[in-house]
């Protein structure tokens, strides 16, 4: 079965650089969620989209922005990167907004040097 | 805002022993979900509980949702080495608020 795809899987950036993370949800899933997971921590909700519109917002820094495109894939744009942004970034998708399980992608490991 | 607390943080057991992790929310939950994350992996959905006092079983795993819908537990009977990982509870409807997780180590 098709799963959530995230790219790149690993990313190394310098401080103050920008990064773009991509997420391709499971086919026919219309809702995408972004989470940030620091080492040894639980995933923290950043932002979500339903039918290409932002549906909820969590602890996402102003330096980050995201959008969902017409093909339902989503991109998380991160600017002025800081050391503290180093983390695993997960994308998850569901077929019905706010209902049932979220299917997580393999994550993008971002390292900021 | 809503907070979800989970204990214990770590649990080491011998293979064959039982394991339980507990989850408490600062507010009443409409539902609670449980996820398992293997080392180096991503969270994988285990189950969702919706009804007050609900109990669900999946083979050796038993999930409970409290009567007040503010607490939940996951119990694993006779742990196996394949149960190793971090178990998270999560509340919320659109966005998930995760507990801190319980990291389970199983010694053969």
């Amino acid at each position: 079965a098709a799963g959530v795809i995230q790219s790149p899987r690993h990313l190394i950036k310098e401080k103050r650089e920008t990064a773009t993370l991509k997420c391709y949800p499971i086919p026919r899933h219309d809702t995408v969620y972004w989470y940030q997971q620091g080492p040894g921590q639980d995933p923290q909700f950043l932002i979500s989209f339903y039918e290409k519109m932002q549906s909820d917002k969590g602890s996402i820094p102003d330096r980050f922005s995201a959008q969902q495109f017409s093909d339902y894939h989503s991109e998380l744009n991160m600017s002025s990167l800081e050391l503290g942004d180093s983390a695993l970034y997960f994308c998850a998708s569901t077929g019905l907004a706010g209902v049932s399980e979220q299917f997580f992608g393999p994550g993008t490991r971002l390292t900021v040097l | 805002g809503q907070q979800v607390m989970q204990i214990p943080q770590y649990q080491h057991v011998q293979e064959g022993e039982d394991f339980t992790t507990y989850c408490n929310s600062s507010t009443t939950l409409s539902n609670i979900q449980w996820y398992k994350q293997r080392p180096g992996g991503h969270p994988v959905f285990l189950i969702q509980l919706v009804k007050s006092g609900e109990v669900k079983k999946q083979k050796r795993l038993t999930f409970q949702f409290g009567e007040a819908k503010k607490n939940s537990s996951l119990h694993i009977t006779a742990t196996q080495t394949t149960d190793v990982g971090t178990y998270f509870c999560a509340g919320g409807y659109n966005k998930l608020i995760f507990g801190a997780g319980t990291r389970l180590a199983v010694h053969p």
Side-chain angles (χ1 to χ4, degrees), chain A residues 35 42-45, chain B residues 1-4 23 29 32-33 89-99:
Chain A
Y35 294 88
D42 56 285
Q44 296 288 314
F45 172 76
Chain B
Q2 181 181 54
Q3 287 187 318
V4 179
C23 185
L29 299 167
I32 194 157
Q33 298 182 23
C89 61
Y93 212 62
N94 257 322
K95 62 183 184 184
L96 291 177
I97 307 299
F98 283 82

Side-chain angles (χ1 to χ4, degrees), chain B:
Chain B
Q2 181 181 54
Q3 287 187 318
V4 179
M5 292 141 288
Q6 194 174 350
I7 56 169
Q9 190 175 4
Y10 301 98
Q11 186 79 57
H12 297 253
V13 300
Q14 288 293 129
E15 189 172 22
E17 291 182 336
D18 292 355
F19 159 77
T20 305
T21 173
Y22 301 90
C23 185
N24 285 284
S25 170
S26 57
T27 59
T28 301
L29 299 167
S30 58
N31 69 88
I32 194 157
Q33 298 182 23
W34 284 91
Y35 289 79
K36 177 183 179 181
Q37 186 174 20
R38 292 182 185 274
H42 58 276
V44 175
F45 175 83
L46 294 176
I47 209 160
Q48 175 174 265
L49 304 171
V50 179
K51 299 177 183 176
S52 168
E54 189 170 16
V55 178
K56 286 189 177 180
K57 291 190 176 184
Q58 288 179 352
K59 296 183 180 178
R60 294 178 296 105
L61 278 60
T62 301
F63 304 84
Q64 291 187 319
F65 201 9
E67 293 291 340
K69 299 182 75 173
K70 295 181 73 174
N71 60 78
S72 181
S73 65
L74 157 60
H75 179 81
I76 302 179
T77 303
T79 54
Q80 300 174 358
T81 54
T82 53
D83 295 326
V84 165
T86 301
Y87 293 85
F88 291 102
C89 61
Y93 212 62
N94 257 322
K95 62 183 184 184
L96 291 177
I97 307 299
F98 283 82
T102 296
R103 185 173 298 176
L104 174 63
V106 180
H107 302 289

Side-chain angles (χ1 to χ4, degrees), chain A residues 2-63:
Chain A
V4 176
I5 297 171
Q6 290 187 247
S7 68
R9 295 292 310 277
H10 302 272
L11 191 58
I12 299 175
K13 291 286 184 178
E14 299 278 341
K15 278 195 317 183
R16 294 180 287 279
E17 286 191 320
T18 61
T20 297
L21 278 55
K22 297 185 178 182
C23 168
Y24 298 86
I26 291 171
R28 290 182 295 281
H29 279 194
D30 53 16
T31 306
V32 168
Y33 308 83
W34 286 96
Y35 294 88
Q36 177 192 59
Q37 186 176 33
Q41 297 183 353
D42 56 285
Q44 296 288 314
F45 172 76
L46 293 177
I47 196 167
S48 62
F49 293 88
Y50 167 64
E51 283 290 344
K52 293 151 278 183
M53 298 287 289
Q54 181 182 307
S55 56
D56 213 334
K57 198 170 182 180
S59 50
I60 184 170
D62 291 340
R63 299 178 288 107

Side-chain angles (χ1 to χ4, degrees), chain A residues 1 28 47 52 57 65 74 77 80 84 86 92 95:
Chain A
R28 290 182 295 281
I47 196 167
K52 293 151 278 183
K57 198 170 182 180
S65 65
S74 178
N77 299 293
S80 303
S86 296

